[in-house]
């Protein structure tokens, strides 16, 4: 089972949703970075359950404990070990599911691949495992801050309620004012109403998260199999419930002509830039210095509070009525996860580029 991401900056995660703790080890993190633990905890709080009426009402403190790699408030260059203890598991909610395969979950594939599965909340396949990613991403953000690289994601679509693709139209500083994490007040209210209705129906719904990376230097990414957009795409597609990734104009660009989407080069006071940014800040798999922007599609949460048809581990038809505390829409809590994965990919490629040019 592969549990590590990254080339130079590497995050290895461990733990299960109903185990003692979730944790990780970050290797290759640069030394001398001031570690703001309050900031890291705030990033975790953005992901944790029980934030609002549209998220699961589980109450987890999600308090991070650092075990190594930090001394006198700074990173030492040694591996940074951390854990977040699980404190509010209701394992009994899953007792009736231990011999069933939940529709659209990882139960069936895990069982066939490993011959065993942790049925309590999905075990290793649970979205709770993304806690480790948020810690790694928060640390990456602290390092990127010194490089004036910022990462901002927001909910741009829930169901059929969508914002314009052009992120310049919105004041992204208002994102955290919305429980949906949507910077448009009117659309945010519509999305909230839709999620509440879906929740009332015992159902779930998906949507899209948009992410913008500003200040990324030119030259990140490898020209063949390590293209920057491919690494970002792989990182995003590794997040639970993600079904799609596109950057720049993405699929919409297929409806246009080359004369409409080519980014012409111009001279500005501080150097060479592109007049437009249909490429999404990446050309030939390498960052070109413009804003990097991409969109991530999330499917509806697979756990429904409705009766569904399924089979047991022997293949016998049966019915499933899920219990427990589940999100009707994962997007608000997934925004910090998208940012975290982007931050780790960018910092990893920055460190890789530094070794390339030495």
């Amino acid at each position: 089972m592969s549990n590590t991401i990254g080339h130079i900056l590497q995050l290895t995660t461990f733990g299960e949703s109903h185990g003692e703790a979730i944790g990780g080890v970050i290797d290759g993190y640069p030394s001398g970075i001031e570690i703001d633990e309050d900031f890291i905890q705030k990033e975790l709080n953005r992901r944790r359950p029980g934030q609002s009426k549209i998220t699961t009402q589980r109450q987890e403190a999600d308090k991070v404990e650092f075990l190594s790699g930090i001394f006198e408030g700074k990173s030492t260059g040694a591996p940074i070990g951390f854990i977040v203890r699980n404190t509010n598991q209701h394992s009994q909610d899953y007792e009736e599911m231990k011999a069933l395969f939940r529709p659209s979950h990882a139960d069936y594939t895990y069982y066939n691949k490993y011959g065993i599965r942790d049925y309590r909340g999905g075990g290793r396949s649970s979205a709770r495992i993304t806690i480790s990613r948020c810690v790694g991403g928060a640390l990456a953000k602290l390092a990127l801050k010194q490089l004036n690289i910022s990462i901002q994601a927001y909910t741009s679509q829930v169901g059929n309620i969508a914002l314009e693709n052009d992120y310049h139209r919105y004041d992204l500083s208002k994102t955290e004012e919305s429980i949906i994490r949507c910077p448009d007040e009117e659309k945010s209210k519509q999305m909230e109403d839709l999620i509440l209705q879906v929740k009332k129906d015992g159902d779930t719904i998906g949507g899209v998260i948009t992410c913008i990376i500003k200040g990324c230097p030119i030259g990140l990414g490898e020209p063949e199999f390590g293209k920057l957009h491919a690494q970002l795409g792989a990182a995003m597609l590794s997040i639970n419930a993600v079904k799609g990734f596109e950057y720049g104009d993405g699929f919409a660009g297929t409806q246009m002509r080359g004369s409409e989407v080519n980014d012409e080069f111009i001279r500005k006071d501080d150097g060479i830039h592109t007049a437009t940014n249909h490429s999404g800040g990446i050309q030939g798999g390498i960052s070109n210095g413009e804003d990097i922007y991409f969109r991530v599609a999330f499917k509806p949460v697979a756990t429904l509070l409705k009766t569904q048809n399924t089979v047991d581990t022997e293949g016998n038809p049966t019915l499933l009525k899920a219990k427990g505390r589940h999100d009707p829409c994962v997007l608000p809590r997934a925004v910090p996860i998208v940012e975290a994965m982007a931050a780790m990919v960018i910092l990893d490629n920055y460190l890789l580029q530094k070794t390339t040019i030495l």
Side-chain angles (χ1 to χ4, degrees), residues 11 49 91 131 157 212 248 312 316:
L11 169 67
S91 298
I131 284 174
Q157 182 173 341
I212 301 97
D312 61 21
N316 301 308

Side-chain angles (χ1 to χ4, degrees), residues 15 46 90 107 174 188 247 251 279 292 318 329 334 341 345 352:
R46 296 172 68 210
H90 285 189
D107 299 348
K174 294 183 177 181
S188 178
Y247 74 104
F251 287 102
S279 301
I292 295 172
T318 186
C329 179
M341 297 306 292
V345 169
L352 188 60

Side-chain angles (χ1 to χ4, degrees), residues 184-224:
D184 183 290
E185 185 176 356
E186 181 179 346
K187 289 294 179 78
S188 178
K189 182 62 170 65
Q190 294 175 18
M191 292 174 181
E192 179 183 336
D193 291 342
L194 175 58
I195 294 173
L196 288 174
Q197 182 58 55
V198 166
K199 181 181 180 181
K200 183 179 178 181
D201 295 340
D203 217 327
T204 62
I205 198 162
V208 177
I209 289 174
T210 297
C211 185
I212 301 97
I213 305 170
K214 291 182 174 289
C216 187
I218 301 170
L220 303 193
E222 300 301 309
E224 185 60 13

Side-chain angles (χ1 to χ4, degrees), residues 154-167:
Y154 62 92
T155 299
S156 56
Q157 182 173 341
V158 173
N160 62 357
I161 302 170
L163 276 62
E164 297 284 345
N165 279 342
D166 186 358
Y167 61 90

Side-chain angles (χ1 to χ4, degrees), residues 75 197 212 259 274 283 291 328 351:
S75 59
Q197 182 58 55
I212 301 97
S259 57
T274 57
Q283 294 172 325
D291 290 352
L351 296 173

